[in-house]
Amino acid sequence: MRKVSGLIAVLTIGFIAASCGGGGDATGTGGGGGGGGGGGGGICPANTFCATAANKWTPSTLTVAVGTTVTFKNDLSIDHNVTWNNPAGAAAAQPGDGTGDIGAFASSSHSRKFNTAGTFAFQCTIHPGMTGSLTVQ
């Protein structure tokens, strides 16, 4: 009976750990994504920043390869925006469904493609402290 209880405990812990989302790949050079997130506690897809009910981006940092399209997802009925902290970030945010900053949006997603390497910080100017950082390598 103890073996069965131990097995159940190990499987439960493994399931919880696997459901938490995660960072990059084993090499540390790609991936990103992960993390619970938008609105109802759903999963935030890979290469996506999701707005949360706590007025935070999840994940708050993301690393992607040059040429990756990054999505900003808001499943809430609360407006958020994406404003790059400097002109380099705005210039790097190439056409997805638009370029540069993303104006106020609720219950939708917007994407930008990043062909320039660098680290680009951004914020939601509607909600002070709602910040994020994207590293493109």
Side-chain angles (χ1 to χ4, degrees), residues 125-137:
T125 59
I126 300 168
H127 300 103
M130 188 174 182
T131 61
S133 179
L134 174 67
T135 299
V136 181
Q137 53 185 346

Side-chain angles (χ1 to χ4, degrees), residues 48-98:
T48 302
F49 287 100
C50 294
T52 71
N55 292 330
K56 301 287 182 193
W57 292 109
T58 185
S60 60
T61 62
L62 183 64
T63 299
V64 299
V66 169
T68 299
T69 297
V70 175
T71 300
F72 297 84
K73 182 178 177 184
N74 180 5
D75 286 339
L76 308 171
S77 58
I78 300 167
D79 278 350
H80 293 294
N81 65 23
V82 176
T83 302
W84 299 99
N85 289 1
N86 60 49
Q94 293 300 300
D97 61 358

Side-chain angles (χ1 to χ4, degrees), residues 104-119:
F105 68 105
S107 301
S108 63
S109 297
H110 293 280
S111 62
R112 300 291 186 264
K113 186 172 184 175
F114 291 86
N115 292 322
T116 303
T119 298

Side-chain angles (χ1 to χ4, degrees), residues 30-48:
I43 301 297
C44 190
N47 301 328
T48 302

